[in-house]
Each structure stands twice: as structure tokens, then as C-alpha cells.
Amino acid sequence: MADDAGLRHAVVDTGDVSLHYVERGAGPLVVLLHGFPDFWYSWSPQLRPLADAGFRVAAPDMRGYNLSDKPRGVHAYRLDALADDVAGFVHALGEERAHVVGHDWGGIVAWRVAHRHAEVVERVVVVNAPHPSAVPRAFLSPTQLARSWYALFFQLPVLPERVVAARRFAFVRRVLRAGACSPHAFTDEDVERYVEAAARGDDLRHAIDYYRALTRANPLRPFGLDARVDAPALVIWGERDIALEKRLARPDPALVPGARVEMLPDAGHWPHRDDPDRVNELLIEFLSA
């Protein structure tokens, strides 16, 4: 599924960290934020179609991942710092506003950017990531708790990194394969690129620190329970997600008024890889409105 031809690779200073990113096209800026265990490459199926539709598409490696800066310490990966990176990234690319699209962890960050830096966000699209207000309620559900076991496991020191890296990152391979519904979502080449990125430096520890920072940075209100988003919002949700129950798809209308939710019955945790044609169609339609 790789389509690297014509991509521009660059590094930009966001004000706190330097982020590596790939870029294609010209027009209104669309920022694509990846999840865990991931990097810019997650959005390979979207880069050319969005650029061909008239957008300037930029997909960064978020802090701690792949070729971007990797600050030390759990506190460096708190949600507000990740949101500030995105706002700084938009401005560093010479733009005042952008469409922000995020999957998984990138989706959680996208929600926070749309709340914390509303002046930067034209439209927000979230792919299989609950609005932060839904997260505490989700963990009251035994079935969701069972699905999210890894988030609790990642709170431990040292051991999670060793488990994820064991047997040449078998955990990463399993997450990619098990989370996708289409046999074409991740080729063998794709999986090897993910493993290569995960093995680079301390990426693994920093990626896991995202989870640790949620509970340690502000243990009383870590999720932004009142994070109202007034930007036009689209949620794309693969119904066969093995990590998240589909009831988490629809955000509270009091916090995200008028959010549009598109459920994809044959997609899993990676809808943009399982059904890229449909996801691209939804993105282009929504972002062009």
C-alpha cells in the first residue's frame, strides 16, 4: 500500500519540539495525526487522494515517534503538550488554520486541539477515538475494560516496553493484524516498516508514555471532561474495532454540537486502512464543504 513517490519529507520546529513530517499537494492544509503504535505512514492511503482533491496534506510523526524529537519524561507527553505541538505545527507551516484529522491517539489529540486551540481548527475529523469525556465512563464497563487491558498494563514501569519489544516486536505485528478486518490493510512490507519505526531509539518507551501521562499529568481531570468542540466535526468509526466499543463513537451533543457520525460496519480499528476508498470519500466530502 506504500505510495511514497512525490512525498516531500521535512522537519519543522513547532516551538517546543521539532517534528518530522511528509507533505503532498497544495491548497487548504489538512493535518493527519497518527495513533499507536504508529507514525506518519499510517495515512499512506489518504495522502495522494486528498492532495489530488486540492488539499495540502501534512502527516507528522508526533513527538516521541519515528524521526521526530523524543523528549524524556512522562510529563513531556501530557495531552496539552501534544495539542500545542499541532497548533505550533500549523503555524510553522505558514498557516493560521487547518483541518485536523486524527486516528486513535491522534484522534484524542485532535479533540483536544479543537478545544484548546479552537482558533486553529477549521474542521475536525476523528477516526476510532472517543471524545475525552467518554473515556472515564467507558472504563466502568467490564467489556470495555477487558478490551482496554493494555492501557492499564502500560501504567507499569519498564515491563510494558520489554513485552512489546519481545520476539522482534511481535506485539506490534499482532496489533496491526488483529485490529484490521481487511487482509489488504497491512502488507508484509507495511508491517516491517512499522517494526522498523518502533525499534528506532526509545520510540517504544515514549509511545507508552502517552498512556502514562494521561493518568499522571492530572490524575483528577486527565481527560478534559468539559472539552467543548464548536468546529464542524465528523467521526468515522469502524464497528468491528477490537479495542473500543462502538457506543463510544457518538460524542456528547452538549460538548460537540451537530457532530456527524459515520459507522463503517466492515471496518475494524483501522478504517482508513480497511476501507480507504470510503474513508477518502468521506474526508474529501466533509473537508470540501
Side-chain angles (χ1 to χ4, degrees), residues 126-256:
V126 172
V127 183
N128 280 65
H131 184 274
S133 66
V135 175
R137 295 196 306 274
F139 278 89
L140 297 177
S141 162
T143 54
Q144 181 57 58
L145 192 61
R147 292 185 182 209
S148 302
W149 65 269
Y150 60 91
L152 301 178
F153 174 61
F154 285 168
Q155 301 305 313
L156 299 174
V158 182
L159 182 60
E161 286 89 330
R162 293 180 178 175
V163 170
V164 175
R167 293 182 294 128
R168 198 168 172 268
F169 297 93
F171 177 92
V172 173
R173 301 172 189 275
R174 186 169 61 252
V175 165
L176 295 175
R177 299 293 195 193
C181 292
S182 168
H184 307 294
F186 298 102
T187 66
D188 291 342
E189 177 192 356
D190 292 335
V191 173
E192 290 309 310
R193 292 185 71 155
Y194 279 94
V195 170
E196 179 185 357
R200 181 175 283 113
D202 291 331
D203 277 29
L204 201 55
R205 180 181 61 179
H206 301 314
I208 292 172
D209 279 345
Y210 275 56
Y211 292 88
R212 293 171 175 145
L214 267 184
T215 57
R216 299 183 196 179
N218 186 355
L220 295 179
R221 295 182 65 80
F223 298 105
L225 304 184
D226 56 352
R228 180 180 172 92
V229 171
D230 290 313
L234 169 65
V235 176
I236 301 173
W237 199 275
E239 291 191 34
R240 295 168 61 187
D241 193 325
I242 62 171
L244 298 167
E245 295 180 324
K246 63 182 180 181
R247 65 187 179 85
L248 297 176
R250 191 169 300 278
D252 184 342
L255 295 177
V256 192

Side-chain angles (χ1 to χ4, degrees), residues 75-130:
H75 187 68
Y77 297 91
R78 66 197 187 280
L79 193 53
D80 283 349
L82 303 175
D84 292 349
D85 285 350
V86 178
F89 180 70
V90 171
H91 293 146
L93 294 187
E95 304 289 350
E96 293 298 319
R97 297 173 66 81
H99 302 299
V100 178
V101 181
H103 167 251
D104 184 72
W105 253 105
I108 294 175
V109 174
W111 283 128
R112 181 55 67 94
V113 176
H115 170 69
R116 181 174 171 86
H117 296 285
E119 74 286 353
V120 168
V121 178
E122 288 281 1
R123 289 175 173 249
V124 61
V125 182
V126 172
V127 183
N128 280 65

